[in-house]
Amino acid sequence: MTIIRQESFFSIQELYDMAPTQKYAAIIAGIDLDMIYHAVMKQSRFGAPESVNHPATITAYLIRFVERIPTIKDLVRRLKNDIAFRMDCGFRVDDPVPSEATFSRLTTKLSDTDILEQAQASVIRQATDEGFISDGTVAIDATHVEARDQAPTEKATKPKPAPKKRGRKSKDERDQWLKAEAEKAANLPLYEKPIAAQLDAPLGDLRDDVPQDPKWGIKKNSEGKNVFWYGYKAHLAVGAASQYILQSLFSGGQLNDGKAAIPLLKGLEERLSLPNLRYQTMDAGYDYTPIYTQVHQMGQQSVIAYNRRNEPEPDGFNQHFAPTCVREHAYRYDSFDTQYETLKYTQPKECKDCPLVNEGVCQKVWKIKITKDLRRYTTPARGSKAWKTIFKRRTSVERVNAYLKEYFQLNNVRYRTGQRAKVHFDTVALIYNASKLAADRINAQLNAQNIA
């Protein structure tokens, strides 16, 4: 009897079930601790000497998320009472245990730099170089993160607007009003402008101008009812196959999901090298023309659920914008011409027995350029089997969102300001990617041993 040797699959859960020493070493091995250490260490040799073991302190700060320790106070208590845990974090026997204030200063130093984003990019580069990331599809979505602090109850008193002058404005008054409105719109913050304004904005400005303070957010639950929460949003771009967090963005809860898509897309294009990437898939909350335009400029295809917004169906087309014959049977999607960016549709099956088939009433082939309307005409065509197959890959980002909340304390933000809360989010994303890289490396070793 032939023995079929199955490939090993070593999951993150199995990684977490390992002995602490092996588990910590495997996860921290993918993180460039030297880069983080040089960003937060004392820059001057003058002043009071420091007795803190900074590398071990940084390691303990990161391992807190691995061990799911809820607060810094609990982390300090664990370091004091568990000598084995203290040694696994890299502390020597004679090293003093860092205080809560030391960890607070570390958080402040991390919030003043983008070193955690650089460390996360380093993990992604390692995973790409080692062949663990070769995705053809990226899934983008957001998840809400509640703040620990209660929402402010006091209502800001708004000044009463000046009474409007009755009657029609004169030409001079209207020109002056239009000029004032144009200046007001031009001076709005980047994320209060329409999404189209982000197309020409550089990636650095898009990331620097993200509003991060906790605000009220709104979403629809499974029953279609509005649910409000006070806090933040975590926006992720996840590899559909590898399930690595390729790009991330942290914002206040009031930011529309669609306004985070272009910064994520530009980050994928400018910061990563993914030659196999072809599709960007998102839900109906991202159905905005500028997002389709950005994906098209990247030379990729959008697979985004259509949000009709009370728009009537166009005459001669079905709900998926495929052309229809005289008897309203939809034409079948056939292929896509990459050179001319044209969708090809062929006659429906029902037309074979149609008495009008030889009358020349219906044409045999339809060709539509996707640039006619990037939102309506996508490749694969909407409603096709290929489109539905790719759209199903979007669930990968929902799965990662659940992992981050369930196992990596994403929903345990305990900071009052958005800047420090972002440190928590960046650390969660970093630890998740490092854990994923560690699991993939162990899995590759097991497969190599099985082959040998």
Side-chain angles (χ1 to χ4, degrees):
M1 179 178 177
T2 305
I3 298 176
I4 300 176
R5 179 171 291 172
Q6 300 289 343
E7 289 190 1
S8 302
F9 180 73
F10 189 88
S11 65
I12 292 180
Q13 185 60 50
E14 290 178 288
L15 173 70
Y16 275 35
D17 292 339
M18 292 172 58
T21 303
Q22 296 174 315
K23 175 172 59 178
Y24 300 162
I27 295 174
I28 297 300
I31 301 175
D32 191 347
L33 286 181
D34 291 338
M35 179 170 58
I36 301 176
Y37 169 69
H38 288 297
V40 300
M41 66 177 292
K42 184 180 177 182
Q43 301 296 326
S44 175
R45 60 185 179 88
F46 299 102
E50 293 185 346
S51 59
V52 177
N53 186 339
H54 280 291
T57 303
I58 296 171
T59 302
Y61 183 84
L62 298 176
I63 294 302
R64 170 200 161 198
F65 294 87
V66 177
E67 290 293 329
R68 303 166 196 170
I69 301 175
T71 65
I72 294 296
K73 183 177 181 179
D74 293 328
L75 174 61
V76 173
R77 184 184 297 114
R78 176 80 178 272
L79 288 171
K80 288 181 178 179
N81 299 333
D82 190 343
I83 188 171
F85 175 72
R86 187 162 71 245
M87 299 292 287
D88 288 336
C89 290
F91 289 97
R92 296 185 296 270
V93 177
D94 57 338
D95 285 334
V97 174
S99 63
E100 293 182 48
T102 300
F103 283 107
S104 178
R105 286 191 293 270
L106 174 61
T107 304
T108 301
K109 292 178 181 179
L110 292 173
S111 67
D112 293 336
T113 67
D114 62 348
I115 195 62
L116 292 178
E117 293 183 14
Q118 295 180 34
Q120 184 176 347
S122 174
V123 174
I124 295 299
R125 283 195 299 269
Q126 294 178 63
T128 303
D129 294 340
E130 295 175 27
F132 300 132
I133 298 179
S134 57
D135 294 277
T137 304
V138 166
I140 294 177
D141 201 1
T143 185
H144 73 283
V145 180
E146 294 188 8
R148 285 285 174 173
D149 287 347
Q150 293 184 349
T153 55
E154 65 277 2
K155 296 183 179 179
T157 57
K158 296 182 179 180
K160 294 182 178 180
K164 295 182 179 180
K165 182 180 178 181
R166 300 182 65 182
R168 182 177 296 180
K169 294 183 176 67
S170 65
K171 183 179 179 180
D172 292 339
E173 289 177 337
R174 178 171 174 78
D175 291 342
Q176 186 176 2
W177 176 79
L178 290 174
K179 183 178 179 181
E181 288 295 313
E183 292 179 356
K184 181 180 178 181
N187 293 328
L188 285 174
L190 182 57
Y191 282 89
E192 293 183 15
K193 295 180 180 179
I195 299 179
Q198 298 180 356
L199 290 172
D200 298 327
L203 178 60
D205 292 347
L206 288 172
R207 297 196 69 90
D208 292 341
D209 295 345
V210 178
Q212 295 177 349
D213 290 332
K215 297 290 183 182
W216 279 105
I218 182 173
K219 67 172 183 176
K220 286 187 180 295
N221 60 12
S222 58
E223 300 176 355
K225 297 181 180 179
N226 290 333
V227 178
F228 298 87
W229 86 94
Y230 181 76
Y232 312 94
K233 273 188 180 181
H235 308 268
L236 303 179
V238 173
S242 66
Q243 295 190 18
Y244 280 87
I245 300 175
L246 303 178
Q247 287 291 294
S248 59
L249 200 69
F250 188 75
S251 72
Q254 82 283 11
L255 187 68
N256 180 278
D257 290 357
K259 292 190 175 182
I262 292 181
L264 294 174
L265 291 169
K266 288 190 174 183
L268 290 171
E269 182 182 26
E270 298 181 18
R271 295 184 172 182
L272 301 179
S273 176
L274 300 172
N276 297 328
L277 187 56
R278 292 187 59 192
Y279 301 107
Q280 302 287 343
T281 179
M282 313 169 207
D283 62 22
Y286 297 86
D287 182 34
Y288 296 95
T289 300
I291 297 178
Y292 291 91
T293 303
Q294 175 63 37
V295 175
H296 184 259
Q297 291 176 354
M298 295 166 60
Q300 299 167 14
Q301 307 300 333
S302 304
V303 181
I304 305 174
Y306 193 80
N307 188 353
R308 196 162 293 279
R309 301 190 184 98
N310 297 323
E311 301 171 8
E313 291 186 10
D315 294 335
F317 296 85
N318 69 352
Q319 71 272 22
H320 300 301
F321 308 105
T324 56
C325 66
V326 175
R327 300 177 66 182
E328 296 187 353
H329 296 300
Y331 279 65
R332 295 175 296 171
Y333 169 66
D334 181 84
S335 59
F336 175 69
D337 189 333
T338 56
Q339 181 177 0
Y340 298 101
E341 297 186 320
T342 302
L343 298 172
K344 180 182 177 181
Y345 293 88
T346 57
Q347 274 188 334
K349 293 180 180 179
E350 295 82 359
C351 290
K352 291 182 179 180
D353 302 326
C354 180
L356 302 175
V357 69
N358 296 322
E359 300 294 332
V361 177
C362 299
Q363 62 191 69
K364 293 184 178 181
V365 175
W366 269 85
K367 291 186 177 182
I368 303 175
K369 291 183 71 67
I370 62 172
T371 52
K372 179 181 179 181
D373 191 335
L374 291 173
R375 183 167 166 246
R376 291 184 174 183
Y377 304 112
T378 64
T379 177
R382 292 187 180 277
S384 64
K385 184 177 180 180
W387 189 95
K388 294 177 182 178
T389 300
I390 296 172
F391 185 72
K392 288 180 181 177
R393 301 172 188 169
R394 191 191 61 82
T395 56
S396 59
V397 67
E398 297 177 349
R399 199 173 302 117
V400 172
N401 282 333
Y403 289 160
L404 298 185
K405 288 186 175 182
E406 184 70 19
Y407 301 108
F408 295 90
Q409 301 192 71
L410 178 59
N411 56 351
N412 187 33
V413 177
R414 294 178 175 269
Y415 298 108
R416 297 178 182 273
T417 63
Q419 191 175 14
R420 292 169 72 88
K422 183 179 181 297
V423 174
H424 179 97
F425 169 69
D426 288 340
T427 308
V428 167
L430 174 62
I431 290 298
Y432 169 81
N433 279 340
S435 301
K436 191 75 175 61
L437 177 59
D440 285 344
R441 284 173 171 173
I442 295 174
N443 200 29
Q445 292 175 2
L446 292 177
N447 288 332
Q449 292 174 4
N450 289 338
I451 293 173

